[in-house]
């Protein structure tokens, strides 16, 4: 077994010549004579992706908002403002390449067609087997909601445009709105003097009346636009616990802001290793034996268990146990497992963890 590789340069070079990208976004790396039957791979470390689902509502007051109750009995938007709402918080556990844990596995020249399946960034997925990557969970965002942005002034009569006061203009526009409603009702009941000649003309006329009515009504009620988006914060733990770390802040006026921005309420992350016993210090001899062991086979991760908690405004939107590679350990698959010339052993891994999922003999 060759020494540990400290960078992924060799892996990338080999993939250019030996790899093939599959539909599942994995790369098959064949152990062949051209690469001395060696394939490089990386183990992951855990990163925690916290995704905020955010609603943004923008309110714009209408030109005649102060006359809304008087003429149309509407509750209007009274000031221009933008409001943000933190709708949901999602958490996913993602493996990222650990530069300190890249290895070269060398197969026997006569082993039956050995190969590794890797992710595009070099994380191990399988040995002597194909693997499909599971898709990341998608966060469904509602469709944006927008009121009409048609310019209402194109529908104003000359009398309205020449009115000497805002109050008079509001009165005339409100009358125009009621005239439009009356015209629409006459068409719908078939009492209009000039009915549309066919179904298509009918739909066009009704659509035009609706457009004008919405645009003019917004001069009183104002406009509202609602859209949804996400903001992702990524935390990469060390081997230490994390106690109520502020990973971001959220403001109802500004939306998501940096952790240092005191304009927003803090979002806290706590991550605690659930191992009850502290890791014992290794002696120099034990450390050398461990290093020798890690160089004698195929290294894999044994993740540790941790409790992940998120807090926001005295609530706990997330409090679950997760796997964390940094809180775990490593072990080795013996090289001789893969020396079978006829029936190679297959090993399937969890790519996000570098842990063994299944061994098929």
């Amino acid at each position: 077994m060759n020494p540990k590789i400290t960078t992924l340069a060799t892996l990338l070079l080999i993939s250019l010549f030996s790899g093939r990208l599959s539909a599942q976004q994995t790369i098959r790396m064949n152990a062949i004579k051209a690469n001395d039957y060696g394939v490089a791979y990386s183990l992951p470390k855990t990163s925690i992706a916290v995704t905020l689902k955010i609603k943004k509502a923008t309110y714009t007051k209408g030109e005649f908002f102060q006359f809304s109750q008087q003429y149309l009995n509407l509750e209007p938007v009274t000031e221009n403002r933008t409001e943000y709402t933190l709708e949901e918080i999602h958490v996913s556990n993602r493996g990222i390449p650990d530069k300190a844990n890249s290895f070269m596995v060398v197969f026997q020249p006569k082993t039956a067609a050995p190969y590794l399946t890797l992710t595009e960034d070099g994380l191990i997925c399988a040995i002597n087997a194909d693997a499909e990557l599971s898709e990341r969970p998608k966060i469904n965002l509602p469709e944006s909601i927008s009121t009409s942005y048609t310019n209402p002034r194109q529908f104003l009569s000359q009398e309205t445009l020449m009115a000497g006061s805002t109050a008079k203009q509001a009165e005339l526009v409100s009358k125009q709105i009621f005239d439009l409603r009356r015209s629409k009702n006459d068409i719908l009941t078939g009492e209009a003097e000039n009915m549309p000649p066919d179904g298509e003309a009918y739909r066009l006329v009704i659509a035009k009346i609706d457009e004008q009515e919405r645009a003019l009504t917004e001069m009183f009620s104002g406009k509202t636009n609602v859209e949804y988006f996400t903001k992702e914060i990524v935390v990469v733990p060390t081997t230490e616990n994390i106690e109520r770390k502020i990973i971001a802040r959220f403001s109802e006026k500004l939306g998501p802001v940096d952790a240092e921005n005191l304009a927003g309420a803090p979002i806290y992350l706590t991550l605690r290793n659930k191992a009850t016993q502290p890791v014992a210090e290794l002696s120099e001899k034990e450390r050398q034996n461990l290093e020798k062991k890690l160089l004698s086979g195929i290294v894999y991760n044994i993740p540790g268990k941790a409790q992940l908690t998120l807090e926001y405004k005295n609530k706990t939107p997330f409090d679950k146990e997760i796997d964390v590679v940094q809180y775990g350990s490593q072990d080795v698959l013996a090289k001789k497992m893969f020396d079978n010339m006829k029936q190679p052993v297959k090993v399937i891994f969890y790519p996000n963890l570098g842990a063994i999922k299944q061994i098929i003999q």
Side-chain angles (χ1 to χ4, degrees):
M1 190 68 59
N2 287 4
K4 179 187 290 191
I5 300 174
T6 57
T7 69
L8 292 177
T10 303
L11 168 64
L12 295 175
L13 182 62
I14 295 172
S15 68
L16 288 175
F17 294 98
S18 312
R20 61 176 179 82
L21 187 63
S22 74
Q24 293 77 28
Q25 296 184 349
T26 59
I27 299 174
R28 174 169 171 160
M29 305 289 292
N30 295 307
I32 56 178
K33 186 176 181 180
N35 55 32
D36 294 327
Y37 302 99
V39 178
Y41 70 94
S42 290
L43 291 177
K45 58 183 175 181
T46 296
S47 72
I48 300 168
V50 179
T51 305
L52 311 180
K53 178 181 174 181
I54 301 158
K55 173 185 175 182
K56 177 184 178 183
T58 304
Y59 302 94
T60 306
K61 66 181 181 181
E63 186 176 344
F64 305 134
F65 75 94
Q66 66 268 45
F67 303 103
S68 294
Q69 281 283 357
Q70 179 181 349
Y71 291 123
L72 298 178
N73 194 28
L74 293 175
E75 291 294 336
V77 176
T78 58
E79 62 177 348
N80 297 334
R81 68 187 190 278
T82 300
E83 296 178 356
Y84 293 87
T85 306
L86 181 52
E87 298 276 287
E88 298 173 2
I89 298 180
H90 297 263
V91 179
S92 61
N93 188 334
R94 299 178 187 171
I96 58 175
D98 185 353
K99 294 181 180 180
N101 280 288
S102 296
F103 303 89
M104 175 75 80
V105 54
V106 179
F107 293 91
Q108 290 289 346
K110 294 184 180 180
T111 303
Y115 67 94
L116 267 63
T117 301
L118 310 175
T119 66
E120 290 183 275
D121 49 6
L123 298 179
I124 191 166
C125 298
I127 301 175
N128 295 327
D130 296 325
E132 294 185 5
L133 300 181
S134 58
E135 293 185 4
R136 291 179 180 175
K138 293 182 180 179
I139 299 175
N140 295 321
L141 298 179
E143 291 185 6
S144 297
I145 303 172
S146 300
T147 50
S148 169
Y149 280 86
T150 303
N151 182 5
R153 290 198 160 269
Q154 63 180 305
F155 305 126
L156 300 184
S157 65
Q158 185 176 5
E159 180 184 4
T160 302
L161 293 172
M162 296 182 66
S165 67
T166 301
K168 184 61 177 177
Q169 285 186 328
E171 179 185 355
L172 293 173
V173 172
S174 67
K175 289 181 178 179
Q176 189 175 346
I177 291 172
F178 284 113
D179 287 341
L180 287 168
R181 292 176 180 176
R182 191 178 302 111
S183 297
K184 179 180 178 181
N185 186 65
D186 288 345
I187 294 173
L188 292 174
T189 58
E191 297 177 1
E193 293 184 4
N194 298 307
M195 288 293 293
D198 54 44
E200 183 62 27
Y202 178 92
R203 285 189 291 272
L204 290 174
V205 170
I206 293 297
K208 190 64 176 178
I209 292 175
D210 286 342
E211 178 188 10
Q212 291 186 36
E213 183 186 345
R214 278 195 302 269
L216 295 175
T217 301
E218 284 171 358
M219 298 184 78
F220 294 87
S221 65
K223 300 175 182 179
T224 302
N225 181 67
V226 177
E227 58 183 306
Y228 296 84
F229 64 96
T230 59
K231 167 72 175 179
E232 184 177 271
I233 305 106
V234 177
V235 178
V236 181
T238 63
T239 57
E240 303 296 325
N241 289 339
I242 300 175
E243 292 292 339
R244 299 192 85 229
K245 176 181 179 180
I246 299 176
I247 59 172
R249 292 177 183 266
F250 189 86
S251 164
E252 293 179 355
K253 294 183 178 180
L254 302 174
V257 295
D258 293 337
E260 297 78 17
N261 191 334
L262 300 182
I267 300 173
Y268 297 99
L269 182 146
T270 297
L271 186 70
R272 295 192 180 104
N273 190 344
K274 299 192 75 172
T276 56
Q277 298 294 330
V279 178
E281 287 285 337
L282 297 179
S283 66
E284 180 63 23
K285 184 177 181 180
E286 289 173 330
R287 187 183 63 80
Q288 291 177 357
N289 289 337
L290 177 61
E291 290 181 355
K292 183 178 179 180
K293 179 182 178 182
L294 295 178
L295 294 175
S296 64
I298 296 174
V299 184
Y300 63 92
N301 289 331
I302 304 175
K305 298 293 183 181
Q307 193 70 26
L308 174 62
T309 305
L310 294 177
E311 301 171 72
Y312 175 66
K313 286 190 172 180
N314 297 319
K315 295 182 179 180
T316 306
F318 190 91
D319 187 17
K320 293 182 181 179
E321 182 181 271
I322 66 169
D323 293 306
V324 177
V325 170
Q326 291 88 316
Y327 290 169
S329 59
Q330 292 181 332
D331 209 336
V332 175
L333 291 173
K335 179 183 174 182
K336 63 181 181 180
M337 286 178 56
F338 304 95
D339 290 346
N340 192 310
M341 304 300 177
K342 296 181 180 180
Q343 189 67 31
V345 173
K346 299 179 180 181
V347 183
I348 311 296
F349 294 85
Y350 293 102
N352 277 335
L353 298 173
I356 295 175
K357 181 179 182 180
Q358 184 180 16
I359 297 178
I360 305 171
Q361 294 182 323

